[in-house]
Amino acid sequence: MTLLILPVFNEFTGKDIRLFSASNGLPFLLFTLGCAFLFSLIAGLYPAFHLAKMRPIQAFKPSTAPTKSKLSFRQFLVVFQFATCGALIAGAIIVNAQFDFMLTKDLGFTKDQTLLFRTNGEYLNDPQNIATFKKQLLAESGVKTASIASHRIVGDQAYYGSYRFEGIEGINEEMGMGRLHIDEDFIQTYDIPLLAGRALDKNRVADTSAFLINKMALQRLGITNPGNA
């Protein structure tokens, strides 16, 4: 069943999970068969030992009331089975909620129809190369916008530094924050809504050292009105 469902699961989640590979195919299969044999053996031991203790004549006699220890053991098995079933149901509900969160959560940017790929960092150190590279991308008929950034918008945090802020009440010490180096088309490419201010402008020299901060930075700085940032 796992082999049949796994392709559908990978397509749904965008992953490439494989049950078998060239390195672990045979060992994993032998391990699975061994576990199946072991569990089958253990499952059959209890009734086998129980029946072995009984004499054939007892099968035709009226059953006597079970002892307290046997009743307790049976109750334990029933409770254990119901508890296991409840845990599996709860786990399924949680996993379903997580997938629903992943598919419907507003990330704050548009990821649909967006292609992200790594480039040669040394090549892009030259601003002239960046302009040429973007021009070639935009010349493609299927490309609507393009942007260059130092790393991904989510996930890794390649740049992290300490910053000192002046004129903000309650902020007296340096504060560590991660940063993402972007170009003037980043906001448009990812369709990021701005709470206040404007996007970077390549025609303004001062924007080469300007910062755009997100809502988390606003919260850490204690700024309630985005316009005051």
Side-chain angles (χ1 to χ4, degrees):
M1 290 182 63
T2 304
L3 289 174
L4 294 175
I5 296 175
L6 199 55
V8 181
F9 177 81
N10 286 336
E11 182 179 358
F12 176 72
T13 59
K15 302 296 182 181
D16 185 22
I17 302 175
R18 301 179 182 180
L19 188 61
F20 299 107
S21 64
S23 60
N24 70 350
L26 183 59
F28 185 80
L29 181 60
L30 294 177
F31 174 77
T32 304
L33 294 176
C35 289
F37 174 77
L38 180 62
F39 293 153
S40 299
L41 181 63
I42 295 176
L45 285 178
Y46 176 75
F49 283 127
H50 182 71
L51 293 175
K53 293 179 181 179
M54 294 180 58
R55 291 180 297 176
I57 191 64
Q58 290 180 337
F60 300 98
K61 290 184 178 181
S63 59
T64 58
T67 62
K68 185 176 181 180
S69 60
K70 291 183 179 180
L71 183 61
S72 299
F73 182 68
R74 290 179 181 177
Q75 289 177 341
F76 167 77
L77 290 179
V78 172
V79 172
F80 177 76
Q81 290 176 352
F82 273 102
T84 303
C85 182
L88 292 175
I89 294 176
I93 295 175
I94 293 175
V95 170
N96 181 72
Q98 288 178 331
F99 275 118
D100 182 68
F101 177 82
M102 291 166 50
L103 296 174
T104 60
K105 172 64 178 178
D106 183 11
L107 301 178
F109 63 91
T110 301
K111 63 182 180 65
D112 297 332
Q113 304 297 323
T114 302
L115 177 62
L116 180 69
F117 57 92
R118 297 186 182 275
T119 57
N120 188 329
E122 296 182 359
Y123 172 80
L124 294 179
N125 285 336
D126 188 344
Q128 185 176 356
N129 290 343
I130 294 178
T132 303
F133 182 57
K134 287 182 60 176
K135 185 177 180 180
Q136 292 176 346
L137 287 177
L138 294 173
E140 299 292 333
S141 59
V143 178
K144 182 179 180 180
T145 59
S147 174
I148 308 293
S150 57
H151 52 282
R152 295 182 299 175
I153 188 174
V154 293
D156 49 6
Q157 194 62 258
Y159 297 104
Y160 194 89
S162 297
Y163 301 90
R164 181 181 290 109
F165 299 90
E166 297 180 355
I168 301 180
E169 184 178 356
I171 306 296
N172 301 319
E173 299 180 354
E174 291 185 350
M175 183 176 298
M177 290 185 177
R179 69 181 186 272
L180 174 70
H181 295 184
I182 64 174
D183 64 3
E184 66 279 358
D185 296 321
F186 186 85
I187 300 298
Q188 177 186 358
T189 301
Y190 280 99
D191 193 22
I192 301 176
L194 296 179
L195 300 179
R198 58 174 176 80
L200 300 179
D201 187 352
K202 64 179 180 180
N203 296 321
R204 301 193 182 197
V205 179
D207 279 11
T208 57
S209 59
F211 281 81
L212 288 170
I213 61 176
N214 59 11
K215 292 176 65 176
M216 180 58 67
L218 285 177
Q219 295 176 9
R220 293 187 61 187
L221 294 174
I223 301 177
T224 56
N225 184 5
N228 294 335

